[in-house]
Amino acid sequence: QVQLVESGGGPVQTGGSLRLSCAASEYTSCMAWFRQAPGKEREGVAHINLIGATTYADSVKGRFSISRDNTKQEILHLDMSDLRPDDTATYFCAAKFGPHCSATVDGYNFWGQGTQVTVSS
């Protein structure tokens, strides 16, 4: 069972930046960030595979950057800039084994508990 622990959320003003991090208990093939706003479904934000290939949701392209550091421990990052009120959500880290990454919730087996990001105008 892969354990994922997110950190780095908090309040920020419109136009500000935040870095989210996710520490994984073991190495996995694909890692991703999802987010869920109140009353909405969980949606994919970005994912990254073992060789560092990345995919982003259209709503965050050019503003968010996903990366992973697996030198000593598997750590996933999400660097968020130019934040907007509609980026407000709980952000979840997810991971899976296997060759193909996914942008959908049902493509991931392991989930963190989430970290809240609140962007005020």
Side-chain angles (χ1 to χ4, degrees):
Q1 184 80 1
V2 178
Q3 295 184 344
L4 303 170
V5 180
E6 301 100 335
S7 61
V12 63
Q13 292 189 331
T14 296
S17 300
L18 276 178
R19 168 176 257 206
L20 305 184
S21 298
C22 171
S25 59
E26 59 184 281
Y27 295 102
T28 58
S29 305
C30 298
M31 297 192 77
W33 287 100
F34 287 77
R35 67 186 181 185
Q36 188 167 17
K40 295 189 176 181
E41 293 188 353
R42 194 170 296 189
E43 63 176 4
V45 175
H47 61 263
I48 184 169
N49 68 10
L50 262 180
I51 61 171
T54 58
T55 301
Y56 295 92
D58 287 343
S59 59
V60 305
K61 279 180 183 176
R63 302 188 299 121
F64 290 12
S65 176
I66 188 172
S67 60
R68 64 196 295 177
D69 178 359
N70 52 16
T71 50
K72 293 184 179 180
Q73 181 185 6
E74 181 79 272
I75 299 180
L76 180 71
H77 297 294
L78 184 69
D79 290 293
M80 306 185 294
S81 61
D82 190 23
L83 284 160
R84 307 164 181 168
D86 59 4
D87 293 317
T88 295
T90 301
Y91 284 71
F92 296 90
C93 173
K96 69 180 291 287
F97 296 105
H100 303 297
C101 290
S102 172
T104 60
V105 170
D106 58 6
Y108 291 84
N109 310 103
F110 308 105
W111 292 85
Q113 294 193 331
T115 185
Q116 178 68 34
V117 172
T118 303
V119 185
S120 59
S121 56

